[in-house]
Every structure is written in structure tokens, then in C-alpha cells.
Amino acid sequence: MSYRDELSSYVARLQQRLRLSAWLRGAAVFAGTALAVTVTLVFALNLLAFPARGVTAGRLVMLAALAAAGALGLALPLARLTRARAVRVAESANPELEQRLTTFEERAGAGADRDDLFLELLAADTLAHTEAIAPASLVPKNRLFALGGAGFACLAVLVWMIAAGPGYLGYGASLL
């Protein structure tokens, strides 16, 4: 495997790790929004004694809030996560790279031919600097576990409220 291919593989692993973080963060935002909107709407609808039109309006509000959370918390960050953005994240987190990774990505993306010796030398030099910078160091496991755990906890509370929630909280959540 050439240095060029190795560095391209490194950037791909970096982008994959950032994509996983974006997915988990988006899922946590989505589940947290669902829980917060449900609780808020149940309290508001309880004051009105759960009228049929109020429940319908609450469902529409919930649908709009979840659509916004899905678009802003999940779709937008994933759409913005390109190879160039992953390179910028790595460069900003590790100034000792001194724009080597950016230069490599720009030259490789510009359609440089396979026999470009400058690109091969740049890749070898950049790989020497990236040995200490694993993709897992930019997005640590504890952050991924925290995001996944937060999303799962919100979802678990929401399911519990719908299935067996106490009093009007459970009743309202099941209506919505």
C-alpha cells in the first residue's frame, strides 16, 4: 500500500468516526426533543382537560418539532460532514500538521495523477505526523458512549411514559 493510499485511508477513518459522532448526537437530539415536547404538551393539554382539537394540534406541534430536530440535529450535520471538513477538524485539533493534510486533500481531490511524486512525499511526511493522532483521539469513546446513552435514556423514559406512565402524564403521552 502506498503512502498516498494509507493517508487516504486515514482521512476516510477520520470521516467515519466523525460521522458516527454526528449520528449519535443527532439521535440524542431527536430523542431529547421528543421527550421534552411530549412532557411540555402533556402539561399544557392537562390544563385544558385534553380536548380533541388540542390533542390534534399537539400532534402537529410534535411532528413539526421532530422534523426540525431531525433536520437540524441529524440531516444538516451529516450533509456538512465532507472529507474536507474532516480534514479541517483534524488540522484544527492538531496544529503540528501545519496544513499538510489540507494540502494533500486538495491536491488529491484536484485529480493529481497516480505518479505524482510530490503527493507521495507529502503523504509520507503527513503520515509521520498522524501516527500520534488517531481518529479515536478526536472523537473519544466516552463521548460516543455519552451521546448514545443520553439518546437511549431519553427514548427509554419516553417509552415508559407512553406504556406505563403514572397519572395524566402517561395518559397524555399515550394520546400524543
mmCIF file with all atom_site columns, all heavy atoms in Angstrom, residues 77-99:
data_model
loop_
_atom_site.group_PDB
_atom_site.id
_atom_site.type_symbol
_atom_site.label_atom_id
_atom_site.label_alt_id
_atom_site.label_comp_id
_atom_site.label_asym_id
_atom_site.label_entity_id
_atom_site.label_seq_id
_atom_site.pdbx_PDB_ins_code
_atom_site.Cartn_x
_atom_site.Cartn_y
_atom_site.Cartn_z
_atom_site.occupancy
_atom_site.B_iso_or_equiv
_atom_site.pdbx_formal_charge
_atom_site.auth_seq_id
_atom_site.auth_comp_id
_atom_site.auth_asym_id
_atom_site.auth_atom_id
_atom_site.pdbx_PDB_model_num
ATOM 1   N N   . PRO A 1 77 ? -25.961 18.241 9.947  1.00 0.00 ? 77 PRO A N   1
ATOM 2   C CA  . PRO A 1 77 ? -24.570 17.897 10.287 1.00 0.00 ? 77 PRO A CA  1
ATOM 3   C C   . PRO A 1 77 ? -23.999 16.780 9.408  1.00 0.00 ? 77 PRO A C   1
ATOM 4   O O   . PRO A 1 77 ? -22.822 16.812 9.057  1.00 0.00 ? 77 PRO A O   1
ATOM 5   C CB  . PRO A 1 77 ? -24.658 17.436 11.741 1.00 0.00 ? 77 PRO A CB  1
ATOM 6   C CG  . PRO A 1 77 ? -25.852 18.109 12.282 1.00 0.00 ? 77 PRO A CG  1
ATOM 7   C CD  . PRO A 1 77 ? -26.816 18.171 11.126 1.00 0.00 ? 77 PRO A CD  1
ATOM 8   N N   . LEU A 1 78 ? -24.821 15.807 9.041  1.00 0.00 ? 78 LEU A N   1
ATOM 9   C CA  . LEU A 1 78 ? -24.317 14.736 8.188  1.00 0.00 ? 78 LEU A CA  1
ATOM 10  C C   . LEU A 1 78 ? -24.042 15.228 6.774  1.00 0.00 ? 78 LEU A C   1
ATOM 11  O O   . LEU A 1 78 ? -23.084 14.785 6.131  1.00 0.00 ? 78 LEU A O   1
ATOM 12  C CB  . LEU A 1 78 ? -25.305 13.564 8.167  1.00 0.00 ? 78 LEU A CB  1
ATOM 13  C CG  . LEU A 1 78 ? -25.319 12.720 9.433  1.00 0.00 ? 78 LEU A CG  1
ATOM 14  C CD1 . LEU A 1 78 ? -26.445 11.707 9.381  1.00 0.00 ? 78 LEU A CD1 1
ATOM 15  C CD2 . LEU A 1 78 ? -23.985 12.028 9.640  1.00 0.00 ? 78 LEU A CD2 1
ATOM 16  N N   . ALA A 1 79 ? -24.864 16.127 6.288  1.00 0.00 ? 79 ALA A N   1
ATOM 17  C CA  . ALA A 1 79 ? -24.638 16.664 4.940  1.00 0.00 ? 79 ALA A CA  1
ATOM 18  C C   . ALA A 1 79 ? -23.382 17.532 4.905  1.00 0.00 ? 79 ALA A C   1
ATOM 19  O O   . ALA A 1 79 ? -22.687 17.577 3.883  1.00 0.00 ? 79 ALA A O   1
ATOM 20  C CB  . ALA A 1 79 ? -25.850 17.470 4.495  1.00 0.00 ? 79 ALA A CB  1
ATOM 21  N N   . ARG A 1 80 ? -23.089 18.219 5.990  1.00 0.00 ? 80 ARG A N   1
ATOM 22  C CA  . ARG A 1 80 ? -21.914 19.089 6.041  1.00 0.00 ? 80 ARG A CA  1
ATOM 23  C C   . ARG A 1 80 ? -20.617 18.330 6.286  1.00 0.00 ? 80 ARG A C   1
ATOM 24  O O   . ARG A 1 80 ? -19.533 18.898 6.133  1.00 0.00 ? 80 ARG A O   1
ATOM 25  C CB  . ARG A 1 80 ? -22.088 20.125 7.145  1.00 0.00 ? 80 ARG A CB  1
ATOM 26  C CG  . ARG A 1 80 ? -23.147 21.153 6.838  1.00 0.00 ? 80 ARG A CG  1
ATOM 27  C CD  . ARG A 1 80 ? -23.348 22.154 7.938  1.00 0.00 ? 80 ARG A CD  1
ATOM 28  N NE  . ARG A 1 80 ? -22.097 22.629 8.500  1.00 0.00 ? 80 ARG A NE  1
ATOM 29  C CZ  . ARG A 1 80 ? -21.947 23.029 9.754  1.00 0.00 ? 80 ARG A CZ  1
ATOM 30  N NH1 . ARG A 1 80 ? -22.972 23.016 10.576 1.00 0.00 ? 80 ARG A NH1 1
ATOM 31  N NH2 . ARG A 1 80 ? -20.795 23.460 10.195 1.00 0.00 ? 80 ARG A NH2 1
ATOM 32  N N   . LEU A 1 81 ? -20.702 17.070 6.657  1.00 0.00 ? 81 LEU A N   1
ATOM 33  C CA  . LEU A 1 81 ? -19.515 16.304 7.009  1.00 0.00 ? 81 LEU A CA  1
ATOM 34  C C   . LEU A 1 81 ? -18.882 15.697 5.756  1.00 0.00 ? 81 LEU A C   1
ATOM 35  O O   . LEU A 1 81 ? -19.143 14.556 5.395  1.00 0.00 ? 81 LEU A O   1
ATOM 36  C CB  . LEU A 1 81 ? -19.864 15.216 8.024  1.00 0.00 ? 81 LEU A CB  1
ATOM 37  C CG  . LEU A 1 81 ? -18.678 14.468 8.612  1.00 0.00 ? 81 LEU A CG  1
ATOM 38  C CD1 . LEU A 1 81 ? -17.720 15.430 9.294  1.00 0.00 ? 81 LEU A CD1 1
ATOM 39  C CD2 . LEU A 1 81 ? -19.156 13.438 9.597  1.00 0.00 ? 81 LEU A CD2 1
ATOM 40  N N   . THR A 1 82 ? -18.056 16.462 5.111  1.00 0.00 ? 82 THR A N   1
ATOM 41  C CA  . THR A 1 82 ? -17.338 16.012 3.922  1.00 0.00 ? 82 THR A CA  1
ATOM 42  C C   . THR A 1 82 ? -15.910 15.659 4.312  1.00 0.00 ? 82 THR A C   1
ATOM 43  O O   . THR A 1 82 ? -15.487 15.882 5.454  1.00 0.00 ? 82 THR A O   1
ATOM 44  C CB  . THR A 1 82 ? -17.319 17.129 2.865  1.00 0.00 ? 82 THR A CB  1
ATOM 45  O OG1 . THR A 1 82 ? -16.644 18.267 3.417  1.00 0.00 ? 82 THR A OG1 1
ATOM 46  C CG2 . THR A 1 82 ? -18.732 17.509 2.441  1.00 0.00 ? 82 THR A CG2 1
ATOM 47  N N   . ARG A 1 83 ? -15.158 15.154 3.353  1.00 0.00 ? 83 ARG A N   1
ATOM 48  C CA  . ARG A 1 83 ? -13.746 14.861 3.606  1.00 0.00 ? 83 ARG A CA  1
ATOM 49  C C   . ARG A 1 83 ? -12.991 16.140 3.962  1.00 0.00 ? 83 ARG A C   1
ATOM 50  O O   . ARG A 1 83 ? -12.136 16.145 4.847  1.00 0.00 ? 83 ARG A O   1
ATOM 51  C CB  . ARG A 1 83 ? -13.108 14.185 2.401  1.00 0.00 ? 83 ARG A CB  1
ATOM 52  C CG  . ARG A 1 83 ? -13.500 12.727 2.254  1.00 0.00 ? 83 ARG A CG  1
ATOM 53  C CD  . ARG A 1 83 ? -12.859 12.116 1.016  1.00 0.00 ? 83 ARG A CD  1
ATOM 54  N NE  . ARG A 1 83 ? -11.415 12.008 1.091  1.00 0.00 ? 83 ARG A NE  1
ATOM 55  C CZ  . ARG A 1 83 ? -10.748 10.941 1.522  1.00 0.00 ? 83 ARG A CZ  1
ATOM 56  N NH1 . ARG A 1 83 ? -11.412 9.884  1.937  1.00 0.00 ? 83 ARG A NH1 1
ATOM 57  N NH2 . ARG A 1 83 ? -9.434  10.927 1.540  1.00 0.00 ? 83 ARG A NH2 1
ATOM 58  N N   . ALA A 1 84 ? -13.316 17.222 3.276  1.00 0.00 ? 84 ALA A N   1
ATOM 59  C CA  . ALA A 1 84 ? -12.637 18.490 3.545  1.00 0.00 ? 84 ALA A CA  1
ATOM 60  C C   . ALA A 1 84 ? -12.914 18.965 4.970  1.00 0.00 ? 84 ALA A C   1
ATOM 61  O O   . ALA A 1 84 ? -12.025 19.477 5.656  1.00 0.00 ? 84 ALA A O   1
ATOM 62  C CB  . ALA A 1 84 ? -13.081 19.536 2.532  1.00 0.00 ? 84 ALA A CB  1
ATOM 63  N N   . ARG A 1 85 ? -14.135 18.793 5.431  1.00 0.00 ? 85 ARG A N   1
ATOM 64  C CA  . ARG A 1 85 ? -14.476 19.198 6.805  1.00 0.00 ? 85 ARG A CA  1
ATOM 65  C C   . ARG A 1 85 ? -13.758 18.308 7.812  1.00 0.00 ? 85 ARG A C   1
ATOM 66  O O   . ARG A 1 85 ? -13.283 18.784 8.838  1.00 0.00 ? 85 ARG A O   1
ATOM 67  C CB  . ARG A 1 85 ? -15.976 19.127 7.012  1.00 0.00 ? 85 ARG A CB  1
ATOM 68  C CG  . ARG A 1 85 ? -16.397 19.569 8.393  1.00 0.00 ? 85 ARG A CG  1
ATOM 69  C CD  . ARG A 1 85 ? -17.711 20.294 8.355  1.00 0.00 ? 85 ARG A CD  1
ATOM 70  N NE  . ARG A 1 85 ? -18.195 20.597 9.663  1.00 0.00 ? 85 ARG A NE  1
ATOM 71  C CZ  . ARG A 1 85 ? -18.055 21.785 10.240 1.00 0.00 ? 85 ARG A CZ  1
ATOM 72  N NH1 . ARG A 1 85 ? -17.450 22.748 9.597  1.00 0.00 ? 85 ARG A NH1 1
ATOM 73  N NH2 . ARG A 1 85 ? -18.538 22.005 11.435 1.00 0.00 ? 85 ARG A NH2 1
ATOM 74  N N   . ALA A 1 86 ? -13.672 17.006 7.543  1.00 0.00 ? 86 ALA A N   1
ATOM 75  C CA  . ALA A 1 86 ? -12.952 16.103 8.435  1.00 0.00 ? 86 ALA A CA  1
ATOM 76  C C   . ALA A 1 86 ? -11.483 16.494 8.524  1.00 0.00 ? 86 ALA A C   1
ATOM 77  O O   . ALA A 1 86 ? -10.881 16.471 9.606  1.00 0.00 ? 86 ALA A O   1
ATOM 78  C CB  . ALA A 1 86 ? -13.098 14.659 7.948  1.00 0.00 ? 86 ALA A CB  1
ATOM 79  N N   . VAL A 1 87 ? -10.911 16.905 7.399  1.00 0.00 ? 87 VAL A N   1
ATOM 80  C CA  . VAL A 1 87 ? -9.521  17.348 7.380  1.00 0.00 ? 87 VAL A CA  1
ATOM 81  C C   . VAL A 1 87 ? -9.371  18.626 8.196  1.00 0.00 ? 87 VAL A C   1
ATOM 82  O O   . VAL A 1 87 ? -8.416  18.777 8.969  1.00 0.00 ? 87 VAL A O   1
ATOM 83  C CB  . VAL A 1 87 ? -9.046  17.541 5.923  1.00 0.00 ? 87 VAL A CB  1
ATOM 84  C CG1 . VAL A 1 87 ? -7.761  18.325 5.858  1.00 0.00 ? 87 VAL A CG1 1
ATOM 85  C CG2 . VAL A 1 87 ? -8.875  16.188 5.243  1.00 0.00 ? 87 VAL A CG2 1
ATOM 86  N N   . ARG A 1 88 ? -10.317 19.560 8.069  1.00 0.00 ? 88 ARG A N   1
ATOM 87  C CA  . ARG A 1 88 ? -10.252 20.803 8.843  1.00 0.00 ? 88 ARG A CA  1
ATOM 88  C C   . ARG A 1 88 ? -10.336 20.528 10.343 1.00 0.00 ? 88 ARG A C   1
ATOM 89  O O   . ARG A 1 88 ? -9.655  21.173 11.140 1.00 0.00 ? 88 ARG A O   1
ATOM 90  C CB  . ARG A 1 88 ? -11.364 21.757 8.414  1.00 0.00 ? 88 ARG A CB  1
ATOM 91  C CG  . ARG A 1 88 ? -11.053 22.525 7.166  1.00 0.00 ? 88 ARG A CG  1
ATOM 92  C CD  . ARG A 1 88 ? -12.001 23.694 6.971  1.00 0.00 ? 88 ARG A CD  1
ATOM 93  N NE  . ARG A 1 88 ? -13.408 23.328 6.991  1.00 0.00 ? 88 ARG A NE  1
ATOM 94  C CZ  . ARG A 1 88 ? -14.113 22.990 5.928  1.00 0.00 ? 88 ARG A CZ  1
ATOM 95  N NH1 . ARG A 1 88 ? -13.548 22.938 4.743  1.00 0.00 ? 88 ARG A NH1 1
ATOM 96  N NH2 . ARG A 1 88 ? -15.395 22.697 6.046  1.00 0.00 ? 88 ARG A NH2 1
ATOM 97  N N   . VAL A 1 89 ? -11.173 19.569 10.731 1.00 0.00 ? 89 VAL A N   1
ATOM 98  C CA  . VAL A 1 89 ? -11.285 19.214 12.146 1.00 0.00 ? 89 VAL A CA  1
ATOM 99  C C   . VAL A 1 89 ? -9.962  18.662 12.656 1.00 0.00 ? 89 VAL A C   1
ATOM 100 O O   . VAL A 1 89 ? -9.487  19.033 13.736 1.00 0.00 ? 89 VAL A O   1
ATOM 101 C CB  . VAL A 1 89 ? -12.429 18.199 12.368 1.00 0.00 ? 89 VAL A CB  1
ATOM 102 C CG1 . VAL A 1 89 ? -12.376 17.586 13.746 1.00 0.00 ? 89 VAL A CG1 1
ATOM 103 C CG2 . VAL A 1 89 ? -13.767 18.865 12.131 1.00 0.00 ? 89 VAL A CG2 1
ATOM 104 N N   . ALA A 1 90 ? -9.346  17.778 11.879 1.00 0.00 ? 90 ALA A N   1
ATOM 105 C CA  . ALA A 1 90 ? -8.057  17.207 12.279 1.00 0.00 ? 90 ALA A CA  1
ATOM 106 C C   . ALA A 1 90 ? -6.977  18.278 12.343 1.00 0.00 ? 90 ALA A C   1
ATOM 107 O O   . ALA A 1 90 ? -6.158  18.296 13.275 1.00 0.00 ? 90 ALA A O   1
ATOM 108 C CB  . ALA A 1 90 ? -7.653  16.108 11.307 1.00 0.00 ? 90 ALA A CB  1
ATOM 109 N N   . GLU A 1 91 ? -6.974  19.178 11.372 1.00 0.00 ? 91 GLU A N   1
ATOM 110 C CA  . GLU A 1 91 ? -5.976  20.256 11.355 1.00 0.00 ? 91 GLU A CA  1
ATOM 111 C C   . GLU A 1 91 ? -6.161  21.207 12.544 1.00 0.00 ? 91 GLU A C   1
ATOM 112 O O   . GLU A 1 91 ? -5.191  21.637 13.152 1.00 0.00 ? 91 GLU A O   1
ATOM 113 C CB  . GLU A 1 91 ? -6.079  21.057 10.057 1.00 0.00 ? 91 GLU A CB  1
ATOM 114 C CG  . GLU A 1 91 ? -5.639  20.305 8.823  1.00 0.00 ? 91 GLU A CG  1
ATOM 115 C CD  . GLU A 1 91 ? -4.139  20.312 8.609  1.00 0.00 ? 91 GLU A CD  1
ATOM 116 O OE1 . GLU A 1 91 ? -3.414  20.982 9.363  1.00 0.00 ? 91 GLU A OE1 1
ATOM 117 O OE2 . GLU A 1 91 ? -3.698  19.634 7.674  1.00 0.00 ? 91 GLU A OE2 1
ATOM 118 N N   . SER A 1 92 ? -7.404  21.542 12.863 1.00 0.00 ? 92 SER A N   1
ATOM 119 C CA  . SER A 1 92 ? -7.627  22.469 13.972 1.00 0.00 ? 92 SER A CA  1
ATOM 120 C C   . SER A 1 92 ? -7.307  21.823 15.319 1.00 0.00 ? 92 SER A C   1
ATOM 121 O O   . SER A 1 92 ? -6.868  22.506 16.247 1.00 0.00 ? 92 SER A O   1
ATOM 122 C CB  . SER A 1 92 ? -9.058  22.988 13.958 1.00 0.00 ? 92 SER A CB  1
ATOM 123 O OG  . SER A 1 92 ? -9.961  21.944 14.229 1.00 0.00 ? 92 SER A OG  1
ATOM 124 N N   . ALA A 1 93 ? -7.512  20.529 15.433 1.00 0.00 ? 93 ALA A N   1
ATOM 125 C CA  . ALA A 1 93 ? -7.208  19.840 16.685 1.00 0.00 ? 93 ALA A CA  1
ATOM 126 C C   . ALA A 1 93 ? -5.712  19.577 16.847 1.00 0.00 ? 93 ALA A C   1
ATOM 127 O O   . ALA A 1 93 ? -5.237  19.389 17.963 1.00 0.00 ? 93 ALA A O   1
ATOM 128 C CB  . ALA A 1 93 ? -7.969  18.521 16.757 1.00 0.00 ? 93 ALA A CB  1
ATOM 129 N N   . ASN A 1 94 ? -4.976  19.571 15.728 1.00 0.00 ? 94 ASN A N   1
ATOM 130 C CA  . ASN A 1 94 ? -3.548  19.244 15.763 1.00 0.00 ? 94 ASN A CA  1
ATOM 131 C C   . ASN A 1 94 ? -2.762  20.225 14.899 1.00 0.00 ? 94 ASN A C   1
ATOM 132 O O   . ASN A 1 94 ? -2.483  19.942 13.730 1.00 0.00 ? 94 ASN A O   1
ATOM 133 C CB  . ASN A 1 94 ? -3.331  17.816 15.266 1.00 0.00 ? 94 ASN A CB  1
ATOM 134 C CG  . ASN A 1 94 ? -4.130  16.830 16.066 1.00 0.00 ? 94 ASN A CG  1
ATOM 135 O OD1 . ASN A 1 94 ? -3.877  16.653 17.234 1.00 0.00 ? 94 ASN A OD1 1
ATOM 136 N ND2 . ASN A 1 94 ? -5.119  16.229 15.446 1.00 0.00 ? 94 ASN A ND2 1
ATOM 137 N N   . PRO A 1 95 ? -2.383  21.359 15.466 1.00 0.00 ? 95 PRO A N   1
ATOM 138 C CA  . PRO A 1 95 ? -1.676  22.365 14.680 1.00 0.00 ? 95 PRO A CA  1
ATOM 139 C C   . PRO A 1 95 ? -0.317  21.910 14.159 1.00 0.00 ? 95 PRO A C   1
ATOM 140 O O   . PRO A 1 95 ? 0.202   22.480 13.209 1.00 0.00 ? 95 PRO A O   1
ATOM 141 C CB  . PRO A 1 95 ? -1.512  23.539 15.646 1.00 0.00 ? 95 PRO A CB  1
ATOM 142 C CG  . PRO A 1 95 ? -2.200  23.190 16.894 1.00 0.00 ? 95 PRO A CG  1
ATOM 143 C CD  . PRO A 1 95 ? -2.663  21.782 16.805 1.00 0.00 ? 95 PRO A CD  1
ATOM 144 N N   . GLU A 1 96 ? 0.248   20.852 14.757 1.00 0.00 ? 96 GLU A N   1
ATOM 145 C CA  . GLU A 1 96 ? 1.550   20.381 14.284 1.00 0.00 ? 96 GLU A CA  1
ATOM 146 C C   . GLU A 1 96 ? 1.488   19.765 12.885 1.00 0.00 ? 96 GLU A C   1
ATOM 147 O O   . GLU A 1 96 ? 2.513   19.533 12.263 1.00 0.00 ? 96 GLU A O   1
ATOM 148 C CB  . GLU A 1 96 ? 2.175   19.388 15.275 1.00 0.00 ? 96 GLU A CB  1
ATOM 149 C CG  . GLU A 1 96 ? 1.434   18.085 15.436 1.00 0.00 ? 96 GLU A CG  1
ATOM 150 C CD  . GLU A 1 96 ? 0.393   18.113 16.550 1.00 0.00 ? 96 GLU A CD  1
ATOM 151 O OE1 . GLU A 1 96 ? 0.160   19.167 17.148 1.00 0.00 ? 96 GLU A OE1 1
ATOM 152 O OE2 . GLU A 1 96 ? -0.187  17.067 16.800 1.00 0.00 ? 96 GLU A OE2 1
ATOM 153 N N   . LEU A 1 97 ? 0.298   19.537 12.380 1.00 0.00 ? 97 LEU A N   1
ATOM 154 C CA  . LEU A 1 97 ? 0.173   19.061 10.999 1.00 0.00 ? 97 LEU A CA  1
ATOM 155 C C   . LEU A 1 97 ? 0.535   20.148 9.993  1.00 0.00 ? 97 LEU A C   1
ATOM 156 O O   . LEU A 1 97 ? 0.915   19.850 8.861  1.00 0.00 ? 97 LEU A O   1
ATOM 157 C CB  . LEU A 1 97 ? -1.255  18.564 10.718 1.00 0.00 ? 97 LEU A CB  1
ATOM 158 C CG  . LEU A 1 97 ? -1.617  17.226 11.321 1.00 0.00 ? 97 LEU A CG  1
ATOM 159 C CD1 . LEU A 1 97 ? -3.086  16.928 11.103 1.00 0.00 ? 97 LEU A CD1 1
ATOM 160 C CD2 . LEU A 1 97 ? -0.767  16.129 10.738 1.00 0.00 ? 97 LEU A CD2 1
ATOM 161 N N   . GLU A 1 98 ? 0.403   21.404 10.393 1.00 0.00 ? 98 GLU A N   1
ATOM 162 C CA  . GLU A 1 98 ? 0.811   22.556 9.595  1.00 0.00 ? 98 GLU A CA  1
ATOM 163 C C   . GLU A 1 98 ? 0.262   22.513 8.168  1.00 0.00 ? 98 GLU A C   1
ATOM 164 O O   . GLU A 1 98 ? 0.992   22.700 7.206  1.00 0.00 ? 98 GLU A O   1
ATOM 165 C CB  . GLU A 1 98 ? 2.333   22.677 9.570  1.00 0.00 ? 98 GLU A CB  1
ATOM 166 C CG  . GLU A 1 98 ? 2.934   22.892 10.939 1.00 0.00 ? 98 GLU A CG  1
ATOM 167 C CD  . GLU A 1 98 ? 4.447   22.882 10.940 1.00 0.00 ? 98 GLU A CD  1
ATOM 168 O OE1 . GLU A 1 98 ? 5.058   22.471 9.935  1.00 0.00 ? 98 GLU A OE1 1
ATOM 169 O OE2 . GLU A 1 98 ? 5.010   23.276 11.964 1.00 0.00 ? 98 GLU A OE2 1
ATOM 170 N N   . GLN A 1 99 ? -1.021  22.233 8.049  1.00 0.00 ? 99 GLN A N   1
ATOM 171 C CA  . GLN A 1 99 ? -1.739  22.248 6.766  1.00 0.00 ? 99 GLN A CA  1
ATOM 172 C C   . GLN A 1 99 ? -1.284  21.162 5.787  1.00 0.00 ? 99 GLN A C   1
ATOM 173 O O   . GLN A 1 99 ? -1.618  21.211 4.612  1.00 0.00 ? 99 GLN A O   1
ATOM 174 C CB  . GLN A 1 99 ? -1.626  23.619 6.096  1.00 0.00 ? 99 GLN A CB  1
ATOM 175 C CG  . GLN A 1 99 ? -2.179  24.758 6.930  1.00 0.00 ? 99 GLN A CG  1
ATOM 176 C CD  . GLN A 1 99 ? -3.669  24.625 7.192  1.00 0.00 ? 99 GLN A CD  1
ATOM 177 O OE1 . GLN A 1 99 ? -4.422  24.317 6.297  1.00 0.00 ? 99 GLN A OE1 1
ATOM 178 N NE2 . GLN A 1 99 ? -4.067  24.841 8.425  1.00 0.00 ? 99 GLN A NE2 1
#
